[in-house]
Amino acid sequence: MDDTQLIARLRSGDEQAFADLVAANHAAMVRVARAFVPARGLAEEVVQETWVGMLRGLDRFEGRSSLKTWLYAILVNQARSIASRERRTVPFDHTDDARAEDPARFAPDGSWAQPPVPFTEEVEERLVAAPMLAHLTAALDELPPAQRVVVTLRDIEQLTSDEVCAMLQITPGNQRVLLHRGRAGLRRSIEALLEGED
Amino acid sequence: MPLLYADLACRDAVELATDYLEGALSWRQRRSYEHHLRGCPNCRAHFEQIRAMVAALGKVEPEALSPAAQEDLMDVFRRYRDAQGHDGAQEPPAG
């Protein structure tokens, strides 16, 4: 079902259309919200308010962006407003010069001292199966908030770089740094898991 | 020719994987990175592993909502519908 059909069904009061939309998006929205407000209850509140906001705006929605992009834009606004009510801010600029990989893994000449643990074919297969995916989402929740948001929006929700930059009001370069650090952090968590199995 | 690429160390190469995948490198950086990957199995493994993360994340299924949370949200939707004056699948209560 495309956005136009979905919106028509929502506007006509179709409960199943709303239930499906919620089932497909709610958990990822909570994950994004928790980056702004870590308390689970507050994050749920943000997402609940997002659904209310979406329904309120539905009749005015003109489809200039995808429904998902619009939904996340509402979410980020709600999350920012509740975060500021709680006097919290999430830094989305990386002013530090930290690197995606630990400098200690490299020799003084910049070559690998502790190279990546190889992913065998068996590991590659396990990566896309349920237990490893559960490990991956748990590791995602452990990432610094800004990285978690960007990885969730880009790699799980498959939004574009432009959409994410507009939503979070960050530059493309900043977005790529956060995305790369997040992905690298997840890579290390899988590496650590494999090392623990030896 | 190799001199052109000789300055890229593994420590710096591993920072480029996402920029490379996003098409954000200059022509020169891209060539330099690709050249490094061809000659360095460790950085190649690192790059493939980053790519494997992207592929795996694309397969993460939405987590199921608790029935209570689902019901709360359906209430939100019904209130929206009522406010819109839709009667949905069921007859609205009289009055």
Side-chain angles (χ1 to χ4, degrees):
Chain A
M1 181 167 36
D2 67 22
D3 276 4
T4 316
Q5 291 170 300
L6 178 57
I7 287 159
R9 284 179 60 187
L10 291 170
R11 283 175 178 158
S12 75
D14 183 333
E15 279 194 19
Q16 191 56 49
F18 185 68
D20 292 347
L21 185 67
V22 166
N25 293 286
H26 193 82
M29 287 165 68
V30 172
R31 179 170 293 124
V32 170
R34 287 186 70 185
F36 292 87
V37 285
R40 179 101 202 172
L42 276 179
E44 297 276 0
E45 182 187 335
V46 165
V47 177
Q48 177 112 0
E49 286 304 314
T50 300
W51 290 116
V52 171
M54 185 208 79
L55 292 171
R56 276 204 194 113
L58 196 58
D59 287 340
R60 294 188 308 274
F61 179 64
E62 292 171 359
R64 271 195 289 252
S65 64
S66 74
L67 185 63
K68 187 180 252 185
T69 303
W70 180 53
L71 198 54
Y72 275 101
I74 299 170
L75 175 80
V76 169
N77 282 334
Q78 291 288 352
R80 280 192 199 280
S81 111
I82 290 185
S84 91
R85 187 188 80 194
E86 303 289 317
R87 296 168 194 282
R88 292 184 49 89
T89 52
V90 178
F92 275 95
D93 57 330
H94 56 94
T95 44
D96 62 301
D97 59 356
R99 291 176 155 256
E101 296 298 336
D102 183 358
R105 294 188 63 163
F106 299 91
D109 70 353
S111 63
W112 286 97
Q114 285 172 266
V117 173
F119 288 8
T120 59
E121 213 166 291
E122 182 244 343
V123 171
E124 300 256 357
E125 279 167 26
R126 280 172 59 200
L127 260 178
V128 291
M132 200 76 116
L133 287 180
H135 175 86
L136 205 57
T137 52
L140 183 61
D141 288 338
E142 298 298 314
L143 289 179
Q147 295 178 21
R148 187 195 323 157
V149 171
V150 173
V151 170
T152 302
L153 294 175
R154 288 296 313 279
D155 289 342
I156 298 186
E157 296 305 306
Q158 315 269 322
L159 299 182
T160 67
S161 164
D162 287 348
E163 288 171 332
V164 173
C165 289
M167 222 173 260
L168 301 176
Q169 294 159 20
I170 55 178
T171 64
N174 199 345
Q175 191 242 194
R176 286 195 304 274
V177 169
L178 293 168
L179 182 60
H180 187 57
R181 285 191 196 166
R183 287 170 174 174
L186 296 177
R187 188 201 73 79
R188 277 195 308 280
S189 85
I190 299 293
E191 195 175 45
L193 182 76
L194 297 175
E195 278 179 324
E197 286 174 354
D198 285 345
Chain B
M1 207 49 160
L3 268 180
L4 181 62
Y5 309 112
D7 52 349
L8 191 58
C10 302
R11 186 172 47 210
D12 300 318
V14 295
E15 302 294 323
L16 300 179
T18 291
D19 285 353
Y20 180 77
L21 292 171
E22 299 273 294
L25 295 180
S26 69
W27 178 86
R28 194 187 173 90
Q29 288 172 313
R30 196 175 74 236
R31 294 297 299 267
S32 171
Y33 183 58
E34 286 172 347
H35 184 265
H36 183 91
L37 289 191
R38 273 195 296 275
C40 179
N42 289 330
C43 285
R44 206 157 57 231
H46 183 272
F47 174 71
E48 291 301 340
Q49 290 175 10
I50 291 288
R51 209 152 60 166
M53 291 303 106
V54 180
L57 288 164
K59 300 229 186 299
V60 170
E61 295 284 335
E63 290 156 46
L65 217 54
S66 74
Q70 175 85 27
E71 203 35 51
D72 283 351
L73 290 170
M74 294 320 292
D75 281 344
V76 168
F77 188 66
R78 289 182 197 112
R79 280 202 297 277
Y80 155 76
R81 193 174 61 193
D82 293 348
Q84 297 298 106
H86 296 305
D87 54 16
Q90 292 174 337
E91 280 295 309

